[in-house]
Amino acid sequence: MPDPEKLSSTDTDTGQPLPPLAMFEGKLADRVHAALLEAILDLRYRPGARLRKTAICDALGVSRSPVSEALARLAAEALVDIVPQAGSFVARLSMEEIREGAFLREALELQAVEMVAATLTDEHLQALRRNLRLQALCLAEGDGPEFHRLDAELHGMILSFTGHRRAARIAASAWLHVDRARRLLLPRPGRMAAALEEHRMILAALEARDPTAARHAMRHHLGQLLSLIATLAEERPDLFT
Amino acid sequence: MPDPEKLSSTDTDTGQPLPPLAMFEGKLADRVHAALLEAILDLRYRPGARLRKTAICDALGVSRSPVSEALARLAAEALVDIVPQAGSFVARLSMEEIREGAFLREALELQAVEMVAATLTDEHLQALRRNLRLQALCLAEGDGPEFHRLDAELHGMILSFTGHRRAARIAASAWLHVDRARRLLLPRPGRMAAALEEHRMILAALEARDPTAARHAMRHHLGQLLSLIATLAEERPDLFT
DNA sequence: GGTGTCCGGCTAACATGCTAGGATGTTACA
DNA sequence: TGTAACATCCTAGCATGTTAGCCGGACACC
């Protein structure tokens, strides 16, 4: 399964895409995990590439223990394939995983938005409105990356308003696969504006404290992405399993 | 937070509740994880108890590496609290965690049953019907443990029919906390029969391939348990955080 | 030329030594 | 007697040595 693929000169990392050092916090293993996660998500480590523990070790200046733990965690998140006594590889994108991530995310967010619509406080509404104002600003200025950050933040806020931290973590983890694929999509013209409008529908339903409407609005919003990704699988089959 | 509690003579494990050795499969760390999980779930390790790595090591005849990995995984599942440079403790039951587990489980199962109602095959229906027949048998014979196993199997089947393996895993993990509490509940008279009836409602909705009815039936079924557990929290506050 | 076998290199998994820091019990002092 | 400083113990986390199994190439044999 993890075949060498067309490897240009050296298979090893080109030296450049070093995941940034410890600009993270927490235990050493946490920081290594965060660094590798970032590198995998923005494709500095390409899908299918081999991960050399020793290279990672002296690139980050740590020993194998935290690296092993980080890789094990990434494997649990299905972002890395560990083949015992053979090697570790960045997982290829898989429509299977992406669909599953979307399923999980949808299940959690629909339940969350329904619950939140009934329990929302004014502070929560304030925060949501503020986020949407910033989104509008980004749209006006064409700041895609920041818009995306706010998008993720909005969804994260709704999940966290349920008070269930673990649920938010799981949703984030599930979304990783979808997000990794999404980053490969060229920005579609008009998509940002459409997303903002969909977000507004969700907020409107929450302001009305209408669980059913909130659920519908969220479902419509989440339904948009999968079809886009399906086209990617046809355009770039080399990135998929 | 992890206070000593009233410790009878020795705080250490009484020697007896050794988690059974490697009757599991997979890597060493997997087996240790499974053994500890079993011990924690059926309360051979009591909530709040200290987990001594070294004791576990020579009880199982392995070194600290696999034990550490297993404990880390249990900590990720919120079944163990690891306090750096202090110790590892079996997590106390927490209504927080239980509610969260129920939330996750409900979110996933509602979405799953809705999806499955639309995509179900005849083989799937066969398997569900067979499971329910066995449940009826257990009810007639008063075989509680087996009934519970079939109950869990039924829910697992519905999740697996979505084709999403990770979702099933997450649901199982989320359910752990609810289940650990549930095992402390005295069997309520009539509960088994009621559960069977609720299961029949779900199956009926699936046979009719009616997503909405299936969703409603499942929601009703899952709604039953939480109130029972809330009473437990009052009767046995020592087990809770 | 095609096929089976052996060998070397590389890897994850496991074992073990080391270190820093929190918890606890004791003692000195008010 | 109550409190605060101290010494000891124990722990998780990290580093590093060891083991066993897969992979790929070479070579012999068919």
Side-chain angles (χ1 to χ4, degrees), chain B residues 23 27 53 66 89 121 124 147 172-173 179 203 214 230 232 235:
Chain B
M23 42 181 282
K27 296 190 301 189
K53 261 190 197 174
F89 306 85
T121 71
H124 292 161
F147 183 88
S173 159
D179 199 41
L203 177 58
L232 176 70
E235 293 168 7

mmCIF file of all heavy atoms in Angstrom, chain B residues 23 27 53 66 89 121 124 147 172-173 179 203 214 230 232 235:
data_model
loop_
_atom_site.group_PDB
_atom_site.id
_atom_site.type_symbol
_atom_site.label_atom_id
_atom_site.label_comp_id
_atom_site.label_asym_id
_atom_site.label_seq_id
_atom_site.Cartn_x
_atom_site.Cartn_y
_atom_site.Cartn_z
ATOM 1 N N MET B 23 -4.825 -12.274 27.384
ATOM 2 C CA MET B 23 -5.806 -13.071 26.664
ATOM 3 C C MET B 23 -6.357 -12.225 25.518
ATOM 4 O O MET B 23 -7.361 -12.536 24.904
ATOM 5 C CB MET B 23 -6.953 -13.445 27.607
ATOM 6 C CG MET B 23 -7.378 -12.282 28.486
ATOM 7 S SD MET B 23 -8.705 -12.697 29.612
ATOM 8 C CE MET B 23 -10.102 -12.647 28.497
ATOM 9 N N LYS B 27 -0.695 -5.627 19.593
ATOM 10 C CA LYS B 27 0.576 -5.254 20.177
ATOM 11 C C LYS B 27 0.481 -5.332 21.702
ATOM 12 O O LYS B 27 -0.596 -5.326 22.270
ATOM 13 C CB LYS B 27 0.971 -3.835 19.751
ATOM 14 C CG LYS B 27 1.207 -3.707 18.267
ATOM 15 C CD LYS B 27 1.810 -2.379 17.913
ATOM 16 C CE LYS B 27 0.907 -1.234 18.343
ATOM 17 N NZ LYS B 27 1.395 0.048 17.797
ATOM 18 N N LYS B 53 2.306 2.346 38.168
ATOM 19 C CA LYS B 53 2.886 1.791 36.944
ATOM 20 C C LYS B 53 3.726 0.563 37.241
ATOM 21 O O LYS B 53 3.594 -0.467 36.594
ATOM 22 C CB LYS B 53 3.759 2.848 36.265
ATOM 23 C CG LYS B 53 3.068 3.554 35.127
ATOM 24 C CD LYS B 53 4.066 4.396 34.348
ATOM 25 C CE LYS B 53 3.320 5.400 33.500
ATOM 26 N NZ LYS B 53 4.238 6.341 32.820
ATOM 27 N N PRO B 66 4.985 -0.125 27.296
ATOM 28 C CA PRO B 66 3.607 -0.399 26.890
ATOM 29 C C PRO B 66 2.581 0.072 27.915
ATOM 30 O O PRO B 66 1.494 0.504 27.542
ATOM 31 C CB PRO B 66 3.577 -1.922 26.720
ATOM 32 C CG PRO B 66 4.744 -2.427 27.445
ATOM 33 C CD PRO B 66 5.766 -1.354 27.438
ATOM 34 N N PHE B 89 -4.358 8.220 38.216
ATOM 35 C CA PHE B 89 -5.496 7.829 39.032
ATOM 36 C C PHE B 89 -6.666 7.428 38.132
ATOM 37 O O PHE B 89 -6.849 8.013 37.049
ATOM 38 C CB PHE B 89 -5.923 8.981 39.930
ATOM 39 C CG PHE B 89 -4.801 9.521 40.770
ATOM 40 C CD1 PHE B 89 -3.942 10.485 40.256
ATOM 41 C CD2 PHE B 89 -4.575 9.046 42.049
ATOM 42 C CE1 PHE B 89 -2.888 10.977 41.000
ATOM 43 C CE2 PHE B 89 -3.528 9.531 42.805
ATOM 44 C CZ PHE B 89 -2.676 10.493 42.289
ATOM 45 N N THR B 121 -29.864 -2.798 3.844
ATOM 46 C CA THR B 121 -30.051 -3.957 2.969
ATOM 47 C C THR B 121 -30.834 -5.039 3.703
ATOM 48 O O THR B 121 -31.042 -4.963 4.906
ATOM 49 C CB THR B 121 -28.690 -4.547 2.560
ATOM 50 O OG1 THR B 121 -28.111 -5.188 3.701
ATOM 51 C CG2 THR B 121 -27.758 -3.483 2.042
ATOM 52 N N HIS B 124 -28.833 -6.710 6.407
ATOM 53 C CA HIS B 124 -28.813 -5.930 7.632
ATOM 54 C C HIS B 124 -30.062 -6.209 8.456
ATOM 55 O O HIS B 124 -29.988 -6.469 9.668
ATOM 56 C CB HIS B 124 -28.742 -4.440 7.299
ATOM 57 C CG HIS B 124 -27.449 -4.020 6.689
ATOM 58 N ND1 HIS B 124 -27.294 -2.861 5.970
ATOM 59 C CD2 HIS B 124 -26.231 -4.615 6.679
ATOM 60 C CE1 HIS B 124 -26.049 -2.757 5.554
ATOM 61 N NE2 HIS B 124 -25.375 -3.810 5.967
ATOM 62 N N PHE B 147 -28.285 -10.158 27.781
ATOM 63 C CA PHE B 147 -29.167 -9.135 27.210
ATOM 64 C C PHE B 147 -28.392 -7.848 26.976
ATOM 65 O O PHE B 147 -28.501 -7.228 25.918
ATOM 66 C CB PHE B 147 -30.351 -8.868 28.142
ATOM 67 C CG PHE B 147 -31.331 -7.870 27.581
ATOM 68 C CD1 PHE B 147 -32.368 -8.287 26.764
ATOM 69 C CD2 PHE B 147 -31.212 -6.517 27.858
ATOM 70 C CE1 PHE B 147 -33.268 -7.376 26.237
ATOM 71 C CE2 PHE B 147 -32.103 -5.590 27.329
ATOM 72 C CZ PHE B 147 -33.130 -6.031 26.523
ATOM 73 N N ALA B 172 -18.362 4.029 20.792
ATOM 74 C CA ALA B 172 -18.057 3.071 21.854
ATOM 75 C C ALA B 172 -17.262 3.748 22.954
ATOM 76 O O ALA B 172 -17.540 3.567 24.146
ATOM 77 C CB ALA B 172 -17.283 1.892 21.272
ATOM 78 N N SER B 173 -16.281 4.537 22.549
ATOM 79 C CA SER B 173 -15.454 5.222 23.530
ATOM 80 C C SER B 173 -16.280 6.207 24.351
ATOM 81 O O SER B 173 -16.116 6.321 25.567
ATOM 82 C CB SER B 173 -14.313 5.930 22.805
ATOM 83 O OG SER B 173 -13.786 6.961 23.596
ATOM 84 N N ASP B 179 -21.563 3.710 30.437
ATOM 85 C CA ASP B 179 -21.658 2.294 30.766
ATOM 86 C C ASP B 179 -21.083 2.004 32.146
ATOM 87 O O ASP B 179 -21.631 1.209 32.908
ATOM 88 C CB ASP B 179 -20.919 1.479 29.701
ATOM 89 C CG ASP B 179 -21.354 0.032 29.719
ATOM 90 O OD1 ASP B 179 -22.566 -0.210 29.872
ATOM 91 O OD2 ASP B 179 -20.495 -0.855 29.586
ATOM 92 N N LEU B 203 -36.529 -1.042 15.294
ATOM 93 C CA LEU B 203 -36.503 -1.993 14.181
ATOM 94 C C LEU B 203 -37.700 -1.778 13.251
ATOM 95 O O LEU B 203 -37.561 -1.799 12.019
ATOM 96 C CB LEU B 203 -36.508 -3.430 14.708
ATOM 97 C CG LEU B 203 -36.545 -4.514 13.620
ATOM 98 C CD1 LEU B 203 -35.345 -4.366 12.696
ATOM 99 C CD2 LEU B 203 -36.561 -5.905 14.232
ATOM 100 N N ALA B 214 -37.428 6.428 12.718
ATOM 101 C CA ALA B 214 -36.272 5.761 13.309
ATOM 102 C C ALA B 214 -35.559 6.714 14.262
ATOM 103 O O ALA B 214 -35.163 6.337 15.371
ATOM 104 C CB ALA B 214 -35.314 5.302 12.213
ATOM 105 N N ALA B 230 -28.737 9.808 37.029
ATOM 106 C CA ALA B 230 -28.766 10.968 37.926
ATOM 107 C C ALA B 230 -29.098 10.531 39.349
ATOM 108 O O ALA B 230 -28.524 11.050 40.314
ATOM 109 C CB ALA B 230 -29.789 11.975 37.420
ATOM 110 N N LEU B 232 -28.277 7.748 40.659
ATOM 111 C CA LEU B 232 -27.075 7.112 41.189
ATOM 112 C C LEU B 232 -26.140 8.132 41.813
ATOM 113 O O LEU B 232 -25.547 7.900 42.872
ATOM 114 C CB LEU B 232 -26.343 6.353 40.077
ATOM 115 C CG LEU B 232 -25.028 5.719 40.497
ATOM 116 C CD1 LEU B 232 -25.266 4.559 41.436
ATOM 117 C CD2 LEU B 232 -24.237 5.243 39.282
ATOM 118 N N GLU B 235 -27.213 8.708 45.245
ATOM 119 C CA GLU B 235 -27.064 7.584 46.174
ATOM 120 C C GLU B 235 -25.609 7.313 46.515
ATOM 121 O O GLU B 235 -25.289 6.894 47.619
ATOM 122 C CB GLU B 235 -27.682 6.313 45.556
ATOM 123 C CG GLU B 235 -29.200 6.375 45.392
ATOM 124 C CD GLU B 235 -29.713 5.241 44.512
ATOM 125 O OE1 GLU B 235 -28.902 4.357 44.157
ATOM 126 O OE2 GLU B 235 -30.903 5.252 44.180
#
